[in-house]
Amino acid sequence: MKDGDRLYGILEQETLFDHAQLAEIRSRRQLDVIFVKRDFSTATSSLSIGSQRLVDFSKGLLQSKIVASHAFNPIWLGDVRYASYLYDLPDMTGKTKSWAYLGILLPLTQSDQTSRQLRINIIYITAFLALGFGYLIFVFSNRIVKPIEVLVV
């Protein structure tokens, strides 16, 4: 707690999550959460996959090099594409010690559908404009050529 320039102490809270709370986070926030130990030996998540498969998934896809960048990392899980973010969870004894990773997976199904629909609409608009301009060029060129055709015949 801070009052002006004076620091009194730090408030910390420890929260335990079980599968029901993780499922509630998934349904309420529309995202999946993964808690992984630093050595990727154990993991728990709101995903409905087995624990060994989750550990293998964490080892293979949630690499520790992602933590430094805090950047969006697209991954595929089945037929769904996710935006994954990986964060350090610091230890209670200090910020330099970390004891786990927090992985956040945002499903990109909605944004993929929207971008696919936008691409299709752009193709339709381009085709319509090309055909429309082609028709207008044909009509106006015939109007220009018609008086010359009358003079020649």
Side-chain angles (χ1 to χ4, degrees), residues 56-147:
D56 294 340
F57 168 75
S58 301
K59 282 182 185 176
L61 296 176
L62 299 177
Q63 300 296 325
S64 59
K65 63 184 175 186
I66 301 169
V67 174
S69 65
H70 293 295
F72 157 75
N73 183 31
I75 59 173
W76 286 89
L77 185 60
D79 59 345
V80 178
R81 192 168 71 109
Y82 288 94
S84 66
Y85 298 92
L86 194 62
Y87 298 99
D88 271 327
L89 292 178
D91 194 3
M92 291 188 302
T93 59
K95 288 188 174 184
T96 58
K97 296 180 182 178
S98 298
W99 62 273
Y101 291 122
L102 168 65
I104 298 176
L105 301 175
L106 299 169
L108 296 174
T109 307
Q110 186 74 23
S111 62
D112 286 345
Q113 288 174 348
T114 303
S115 65
R116 190 176 304 116
Q117 188 63 39
L118 277 172
R119 277 186 253 140
I120 290 170
N121 288 346
I122 288 171
I123 290 170
Y124 284 145
I125 289 171
T126 304
F128 175 74
L129 288 174
L131 290 173
F133 281 122
Y135 177 73
L136 289 174
I137 289 170
F138 177 73
V139 168
F140 286 120
S141 66
N142 280 339
R143 285 189 175 198
I144 292 172
V145 174
K146 197 165 206 162

Side-chain angles (χ1 to χ4, degrees), residues 15 28 43 48 53 129 145:
T15 304
R28 178 182 275 172
S48 57
R53 188 166 178 223
L129 288 174
V145 174

